[in-house]
Amino acid sequence: MLHAQDSLLVLVDVQEKLASAMHNRDAVINNTVKLVQGLRVLEVPILFSEQNPKGLGPTVPEVRQALGDLDAVTKLSFSCCGEERFMKELQALNRKQILVAGIECHVCVYQTVADLINMGCEVQVVADAVSSRTPENKAIGLEKCKDAGAAITSTETAIFELLKKAEGDKFKQILKVVK
């Protein structure tokens, strides 16, 4: 079970040139925005990466807006864990429950997930907020993540699991996010 005080979102490479080629792009971007907005309401920290932004462009505008003033970790390695800055920020946050979303599921998402699990983290992949260019590659990516030890979740499942109860101001804010 996820707990807000122990959790972190790692958002992998949701960039313009990559996203335009993704299967089910609009749904994935919409779910990613909901996920980011929901976790910000719940005060769950977010780390996000951009793979070679000079070549692949910045994070898509809808997601970038939801992220607010957070700074991207620029990377060239497929796994976020291959970047020194990412590892320093991850260690500083000291969270062991990690939600992972982004693209591409069978490459950068999977390799990040595998590395996080090997470091002893409890990882959940947000299936409706990941994609690849083909549905087959997304399915392979999710299967490899699961085989590595990750749990599979969805945007709303993760948000409501973190929220815990249907009361208060945060609940009202979350209802606006998921509708």
Side-chain angles (χ1 to χ4, degrees):
M1 186 70 83
L2 293 170
H3 301 282
Q5 69 275 11
D6 298 324
S7 294
L8 164 73
L9 171 62
V10 173
L11 186 58
V12 181
D13 307 343
V14 185
Q15 295 163 256
E16 290 178 353
K17 288 185 182 176
L18 284 173
S20 66
M22 292 304 107
H23 171 73
N24 210 13
R25 179 217 182 270
D26 292 344
V28 170
I29 297 302
N30 289 339
N31 286 325
T32 301
V33 169
K34 285 181 186 178
L35 184 63
V36 169
Q37 290 173 337
L39 295 189
R40 289 187 66 129
V41 167
L42 298 170
E43 301 174 27
V44 172
I46 299 169
L47 291 176
F48 78 104
S49 66
E50 291 180 344
Q51 178 80 21
N52 183 22
K54 288 180 183 176
L56 298 174
T59 299
V60 298
E62 308 94 289
V63 174
R64 183 68 212 139
Q65 183 178 359
L67 289 165
D69 62 356
L70 298 176
D71 289 325
V73 173
T74 300
K75 67 184 187 68
L76 293 175
S77 61
F78 293 126
S79 172
C80 290
C81 298
E83 294 299 325
E84 185 178 339
R85 179 175 158 218
F86 177 86
M87 292 304 297
K88 284 181 180 176
E89 291 186 23
L90 179 68
Q91 290 165 354
L93 289 166
N94 194 29
R95 305 285 177 116
K96 291 298 181 186
Q97 294 183 323
I98 302 180
L99 289 163
V100 180
I103 53 182
E104 284 193 69
C105 187
H106 67 295
V107 183
C108 295
V109 170
Y110 160 65
Q111 290 185 34
T112 299
V113 166
D115 283 346
L116 290 168
I117 290 168
N118 286 335
M119 292 168 30
C121 296
E122 178 186 322
V123 179
Q124 294 192 27
V125 179
V126 187
D128 59 357
V130 297
S131 191
S132 293
R133 284 165 285 156
T134 67
E136 294 82 8
N137 276 332
K138 176 184 173 178
I140 288 167
L142 287 172
E143 185 176 328
K144 288 186 73 65
C145 288
K146 195 169 181 180
D147 288 348
I152 307 301
T153 192
S154 70
T155 297
E156 288 195 18
T157 300
I159 289 171
F160 285 109
E161 192 172 320
L162 289 161
L163 181 61
K164 302 285 186 232
K165 52 188 171 181
E167 65 182 9
D169 187 51
K170 287 186 180 183
F171 174 67
K172 290 175 187 173
Q173 291 177 59
I174 291 297
L175 288 180
K176 291 177 186 174
V177 168
V178 298
K179 287 187 178 185

